[in-house]
């Protein structure tokens, strides 16, 4: 019975990932360009030099319409590519994806993931981890600000001085809130 319960939870998690992807309404018009919202686009960039050779293991909690789900995410940054593996908190693999600096994406799903947009996930990762100078060059129709408030780094993506995405990074966790699409992601390090 607990195996069935575990499968139901895993399916629920995969469904929520699909909903998050669907909620984003990301459209890729040209290779490597993602529509974040309205007239705001982001060009997906190469791995930032500061991140090359690094890897992160994180517990990811995401909330969409008051429903919270968790998964474990591992990120690896190489000179010319970024790789991501996602699994349930019980270790069931969900998907792997790779983004190369030539703009190619490879997604391998272990479970059927209808309508998952790898570009969307990559854009969120870049908004959290890339240096602000690179992000500003790659954002079109918006600007991004960054400031320290105590030990917390705050980033805000603004359209006409109205926030659409807020990111707070502290040593303990990162919180990513998309105000336009009504979802929240919380990342805690497992390293």
């Amino acid at each position: 019975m607990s195996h069935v319960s575990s499968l139901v939870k895993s399916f629920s998690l995969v469904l929520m990932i699909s909903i998050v992807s669907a909620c984003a309404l990301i459209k890729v018009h040209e290779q490597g360009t993602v529509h974040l919202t309205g007239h705001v686009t982001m060009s997906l960039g190469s791995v930032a030099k500061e991140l090359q050779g690094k890897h992160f293991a994180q517990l990811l909690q995401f909330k969409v319409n008051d429903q919270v789900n968790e998964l474990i995410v591992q990120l690896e940054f190489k000179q010319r590519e970024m790789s991501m593996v996602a699994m349930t908190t019980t270790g069931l693999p969900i998907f792997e994806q790779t983004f190369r600096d030539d703009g190619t994406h490879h997604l391998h799903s272990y479970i059927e993931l209808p309508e998952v947009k790898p570009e969307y996930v990559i854009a969120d990762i870049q908004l959290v981890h890339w240096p602000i100078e690179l992000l500003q060059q790659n954002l079109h129709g918006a600007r991004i600000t960054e400031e320290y408030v105590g030990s917390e780094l705050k980033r805000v993506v603004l359209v006409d001085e109205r926030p659409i995405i807020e990111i707070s990074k502290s040593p303990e966790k990162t919180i990513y809130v998309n105000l336009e699409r009504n979802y929240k992601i919380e990342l805690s390090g497992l390293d």
Side-chain angles (χ1 to χ4, degrees), residues 1-16 67 69 88 90 92 111:
M1 187 67 160
S2 68
H3 179 67
V4 171
S5 175
S6 178
L7 285 175
V8 169
K9 285 182 182 178
S10 296
F11 177 73
S12 173
L13 185 62
V14 169
L15 182 61
M16 288 310 300
Q67 186 169 3
N69 288 280
T88 66
T90 59
L92 179 67
I111 300 171

Side-chain angles (χ1 to χ4, degrees), residues 26 32-45 119-120 122-128 130-146 155-160 162-167 176 178:
I26 301 285
T33 299
V34 177
H35 277 256
L36 296 177
T37 184
H39 299 289
V40 178
T41 61
M42 180 174 165
S43 301
L44 300 178
E119 297 87 359
Y120 165 74
I122 293 165
D124 284 350
I125 290 168
Q126 290 189 7
L127 284 168
V128 169
W130 266 220
I132 191 166
E133 299 80 20
L134 291 176
L135 292 173
Q136 193 60 58
Q137 291 173 9
N138 293 335
L139 275 173
H140 310 283
R143 69 182 185 94
I144 187 166
T145 64
E146 179 179 89
R155 288 183 171 178
V156 180
V157 177
L158 299 159
V159 174
D160 297 325
R162 182 180 55 84
I164 61 167
I165 295 172
E166 295 177 343
I167 302 165
Y176 179 106
N178 188 315

Side-chain angles (χ1 to χ4, degrees), residues 4 29-30 39 52 84 87 104 122 128 149 156 162 183-184 190:
V4 171
H29 289 281
E30 39 187 88
H39 299 289
Q52 292 175 10
M84 176 182 182
M87 65 190 86
T104 58
I122 293 165
V128 169
V149 177
V156 180
R162 182 180 55 84
Y183 70 90
K184 177 181 177 180
L190 296 175

Side-chain angles (χ1 to χ4, degrees), residues 6-126:
S6 178
L7 285 175
V8 169
K9 285 182 182 178
S10 296
F11 177 73
S12 173
L13 185 62
V14 169
L15 182 61
M16 288 310 300
I17 290 171
S18 300
I19 289 169
V20 167
S21 295
C23 287
L25 298 175
I26 301 285
K27 298 174 187 166
V28 179
H29 289 281
E30 39 187 88
Q31 187 138 357
T33 299
V34 177
H35 277 256
L36 296 177
T37 184
H39 299 289
V40 178
T41 61
M42 180 174 165
S43 301
L44 300 178
S46 299
V47 174
K49 289 181 184 179
E50 298 90 336
L51 294 170
Q52 292 175 10
K54 293 187 178 183
H55 68 281
F56 303 106
Q58 298 174 314
L59 175 64
L60 185 148
Q61 294 180 317
F62 59 94
K63 181 177 179 181
V64 178
N65 300 325
D66 297 325
Q67 186 169 3
V68 178
N69 288 280
E70 293 183 334
L71 55 113
I72 295 171
V73 175
Q74 294 180 336
L75 295 170
E76 181 179 13
F77 301 103
K78 298 180 182 174
Q79 184 177 7
R80 302 193 60 157
E81 72 180 32
M82 175 179 87
S83 300
M84 176 182 182
V85 176
M87 65 190 86
T88 66
T89 54
T90 59
L92 179 67
I94 299 172
F95 68 87
E96 296 177 30
Q97 75 171 343
T98 303
F99 173 71
R100 293 192 173 86
D101 66 358
D102 64 2
T104 58
H105 305 140
H106 295 282
L107 174 66
H108 177 75
S109 298
Y110 295 98
I111 300 171
E112 182 82 22
L113 295 176
E115 302 299 320
V116 170
K117 305 275 188 188
E119 297 87 359
Y120 165 74
V121 177
I122 293 165
D124 284 350
I125 290 168
Q126 290 189 7

